[in-house]
Amino acid sequence: MAHLRSQIFAAVIARLSAIPEFSGADKVKRGRKGAIPQEKLPALTVTWADRSETLMVRPSSGPAGEDGYDRSLPLSIVVHLRDDEPEEEFDRLCVLIEAAMASDITFGGLAVEALLQSEQYFVNPQTGISLLAGSLNYQIAYKTLAANPEQAAL
C-alpha cells in the first residue's frame, strides 16, 4: 500500500483522466521530468511541489486509541495550454476540471474534503505575453494514523 497522500494523488489523476480532453497517454501526470510534446497539449500536471503539507497531531484517532495527524495537502493542477486564445482555453478547461474535482470532494472516502483555494493564469509580467499555463490550487484535508500514514484515521 502507498502513503495516503499518494492514494489521493492517484484518485485525482484518475478523475482528471476521465475528462475526454485529458484521456490520452501522458495527458495527466503527477510531476514531470521534461517538456510536454506539442501534440500532447493541452495537458495537466498534478503536484504539491510549490508548497508544504502541514500536519497537526490528533490524539485517539485510531480504533485502538492511536494518535493520528490531521493533514492539509496543497495540491496544484497545472494546466498546459496550446490554443491561439490561451486565456479562453484556460477558462474553458477550468470549467471541466472544477466540475470533475467537485463531483466527490472526498475521493471515495480517502480525504475529508478537497476545496478550491485559488486559480492563476501565467503571463510574462514585462510583456503581458501568455506563458501558456495556469493552475488550479486545492487544499486537501485528510487524516492518517501517526504510525501508519498508509491508513486513514477516524
Side-chain angles (χ1 to χ4, degrees), residues 81-115:
L81 306 164
R82 71 173 285 156
D83 202 306
D84 287 338
E85 298 293 336
E87 285 190 53
E88 288 83 0
E89 182 185 25
F90 179 68
D91 283 346
R92 181 180 64 76
L93 295 174
C94 282
V95 169
L96 301 174
I97 294 164
E98 288 179 46
M101 291 293 289
S103 66
D104 175 10
I105 65 171
T106 70
F107 303 106
L110 294 173
V112 174
E113 63 185 2
L115 299 177

Side-chain angles (χ1 to χ4, degrees), residues 36-112:
I36 304 168
Q38 180 73 20
E39 62 274 6
K40 298 269 187 184
L41 295 174
L44 303 174
T45 302
V46 183
T47 185
W48 65 300
D50 61 337
R51 295 171 286 153
S52 298
E53 179 179 53
T54 58
L55 306 104
M56 290 182 55
V57 174
R58 193 166 50 84
S60 301
S61 297
E66 308 96 321
D67 287 346
Y69 290 114
D70 288 340
R71 295 174 178 252
S72 184
L73 174 66
L75 185 139
S76 293
I77 301 169
V78 180
V79 182
H80 308 275
L81 306 164
R82 71 173 285 156
D83 202 306
D84 287 338
E85 298 293 336
E87 285 190 53
E88 288 83 0
E89 182 185 25
F90 179 68
D91 283 346
R92 181 180 64 76
L93 295 174
C94 282
V95 169
L96 301 174
I97 294 164
E98 288 179 46
M101 291 293 289
S103 66
D104 175 10
I105 65 171
T106 70
F107 303 106
L110 294 173
V112 174

